Amino acid sequence: MTCRAEVRRFAEALACVFLLLTSAPASSGSLPEPLQDSDFLFDGKPAPAQVELGRLLFFDPILSGNRNISCASCHDPAHGTGDAVALSLGEGAQGRGTARRNREGVTGRVPRNAQPLYNIGAREYGAMFHDGRLEPDPAGTFESGFWSPAREQLPAGLDSLLAAQAMFPVTSAIEMAGHKGENPVATAVAEDRLAGPGGAWDLLARRLREIPGYVAHFTAAFVEVRGAEDITFVQAARALAAFQASAFRSQNSPFDRVLESGRADHLSPAAQAGMTLFYGKAHCVACHAGPLLTDQGFHAIAMPQIGPGKGHGSDTAYWRASGFADRLEDEGRYRVTFERADLFRFRTPSLRNVALTGPWGHAGAYDSLEAVIRHHLDPEAALAAYAADAAALPPLGEVIEQTGRGSQLIFRPLNPARRADYLLRDVWVQRSDKLRGRIAAANELTPLALSDAEVAALVAFLEALTDPAAADLSHLIPESLPSGLTPQPSRRSTL
Ligand code: HEC
Ligand code: HEC
């Protein structure tokens, strides 16, 4: 304990020296306490039978409408629990990482970067997703106990925020459900029938009830399940949470050695210098605080937006230019609160294992840590200089055009003559002075001058946040699944 206090004092003293030299505003932060079991859901010990069931479900395409994609297709254990591309290709695509291509038509790219799942079972998470649109609802407005896009449809019985999250990917047409008419789950989703008999969650639970291997796993994992008819999707979500909370816990980085021992010399000299900057002159700790290096808050730092956005904003220029009735902005936290102060704010990401989780930013705009850090040093200039077409966006193959809403929703192959106009959406916001200007205007960070050596030191510190065991978690992939389907990704697929 004394040692830890000493290193904290040492870091603070160094930070003070920097502050005196640079007369920067004071924001030196202290090092956090090491992570402990009690920081995690289930006190770090979820029921093993639930973890094992969750593991099978996480890799099983049975949860997708067309049985062609699993959670792990986008949260790949060999790709930093993400998918190594800026914006995911969801159902209809095949392959891993940058080699993933759509074989069937897709409506387009998933609008945001797949979030890494390391330490996602930490209790400090107060909201899920880049915009925090899933949150606890202590006032009890909804039976589920959560504010979410599903509002009153989200059922009761979800015992954690992480379990509540697992209800959602299966209800996204582009991620897992598929297009209306292709399968009953997709049709239920398109008609906004999620809950109740015949709703999307019930249809998926029925699939699981018909598979004897799953019935055995659910019976072992949940006392309330005595037979197939007792299985619900809420239990599946709870098992997925138990699995994610334990499998993706990660706290064996050199940084953890520092927190545990109180000795900074577990880091290379460059990383030590980076740590001093991070907690001092560079003010990173103002937002990246605590053991996960996030304040769990929402901030606007003018990260570039590429891809189709979230269908928000009021700008109709793309519509007029292309004929596609889409709005292409992603207004971040504002989409949830409708408070002007929340425009273009996104949840501060955890930086644990950040060197493994690129591309970075809510739309995956940057493909190097150095570029991300340089962005923070002068967000407005970096945004203006950003070349949208340089991002890691694998080619989009055959595209399905989506028009109308609800019962009027129509999917049909895109007319090839309109393809170029369609693809413009990936770079539209960034190329528009007006839309890019809105993102810049919301920026909260003041410019900060750092030398090349200081930027390199920060990169070295971020790399010291990597737990070597987290780089490849392929041992989690099941050999086979109760559904008889091939795990996605499978142990044998290298691409
Ligand atoms: C098609 C790709 C894709 C699939 C499949 C997918 N996800 Fe995700 N996941 C994402 C993206 C993209 C986000 C961020 C979405 C946003 O912020 O709007 C995300 C966010 C999350 C989060 C929130 C993390 C955080 O930090 O708030 C969790 C947890 C998660 N996914 C778990 C799952 C589970 C469990 C499944 C399977 C039931 C799944 N995902 C399937 C792409 C995917
Ligand atoms: C004002 C709060 C704030 C400060 C200060 C701050 N960041 Fe960030 N950082 C964020 C937010 C918010 C994001 C995500 C923005 C987005 O995706 O739109 C982010 C993203 C990042 C990312 C990308 C992570 C990912 O998973 O995509 C890295 C790396 C990072 N910050 C490092 C740093 C470093 C190093 C410093 C100090 C030089 C710093 N940040 C200072 C708020 C901050």
Side-chain angles (χ1 to χ4, degrees), residues 282-284 287-288 299 301 303 346 348-349 351 354 360-362 369 372-373 376 445 462:
H283 312 307
C284 309
C287 303
H288 296 284
H299 300 279
I301 66 161
M303 275 281 183
F346 292 87
T348 310
L351 298 182
V354 70
W360 295 272
H362 66 271
L369 282 176
V372 178
I373 293 172
H376 280 71
L445 279 170
L462 295 182

Side-chain angles (χ1 to χ4, degrees), residues 1-11 31-32 34 253-268 271-272 275 461 464:
M1 282 312 271
T2 347
C3 294
R4 200 181 304 140
E6 266 164 19
V7 80
R8 207 166 290 137
R9 272 200 302 277
F10 176 70
L31 289 172
S253 67
F255 179 63
D256 291 293
R257 297 285 93 81
V258 175
L259 300 186
E260 288 154 9
S261 70
R263 292 201 349 252
D265 62 4
H266 288 281
L267 306 185
S268 68
Q272 289 183 44
M275 183 166 80
F461 174 62

Side-chain angles (χ1 to χ4, degrees), residues 64-308:
S64 62
N66 291 321
R67 297 178 169 83
N68 59 0
I69 185 170
S70 77
C71 308
S73 302
C74 298
H75 301 287
D76 190 328
H79 285 302
T81 64
D83 53 7
V85 293
L87 301 168
S88 311
L89 282 177
E91 82 87 42
Q94 285 170 22
R96 298 173 79 168
T98 52
R100 190 163 168 83
R101 297 285 183 273
N102 57 325
R103 300 280 185 266
E104 303 145 45
V106 295
T107 38
R109 306 180 193 285
V110 174
R112 290 188 181 150
N113 185 250
Q115 287 171 297
L117 302 180
Y118 297 118
N119 298 306
I120 195 67
R123 291 187 202 272
E124 67 167 65
Y125 276 93
M128 292 273 115
F129 299 117
H130 289 289
D131 53 14
R133 65 185 178 276
L134 172 64
E135 296 174 89
D137 163 34
T141 319
F142 300 114
E143 189 193 11
S144 66
F146 297 99
W147 280 101
S148 78
R151 300 182 66 84
E152 66 283 349
Q153 292 205 68
L154 194 66
L158 295 157
D159 58 352
S160 67
L161 188 62
L162 192 54
Q165 193 285 333
M167 302 294 283
F168 288 94
V170 300
T171 67
S172 159
I174 192 169
E175 287 191 1
M176 295 183 81
H179 309 113
K180 183 180 174 183
E182 286 175 357
N183 65 74
V185 179
T187 301
V189 164
E191 293 170 356
D192 198 29
R193 286 184 289 106
L194 306 181
W201 292 314
D202 178 50
L203 292 172
L204 290 170
R206 282 193 219 170
R207 281 189 187 175
L208 298 171
R209 286 176 207 145
E210 283 164 12
I211 301 167
Y214 272 124
V215 176
H217 278 284
F218 275 86
T219 316
F222 295 99
V223 280
E224 67 269 32
V225 179
R226 289 192 200 83
E229 63 286 356
D230 299 325
I231 293 175
T232 67
F233 198 80
V234 167
Q235 293 149 359
R238 289 175 56 188
L240 282 164
F243 166 69
Q244 295 175 84
S246 67
F248 301 133
R249 194 167 152 186
S250 176
Q251 56 185 80
N252 272 313
S253 67
F255 179 63
D256 291 293
R257 297 285 93 81
V258 175
L259 300 186
E260 288 154 9
S261 70
R263 292 201 349 252
D265 62 4
H266 288 281
L267 306 185
S268 68
Q272 289 183 44
M275 183 166 80
T276 305
L277 286 162
F278 192 94
Y279 286 96
K281 175 184 171 188
H283 312 307
C284 309
V285 71
C287 303
H288 296 284
L292 300 187
L293 302 109
T294 163
D295 60 358
Q296 299 291 354
F298 298 86
H299 300 279
I301 66 161
M303 275 281 183
Q305 186 209 312
I306 52 175

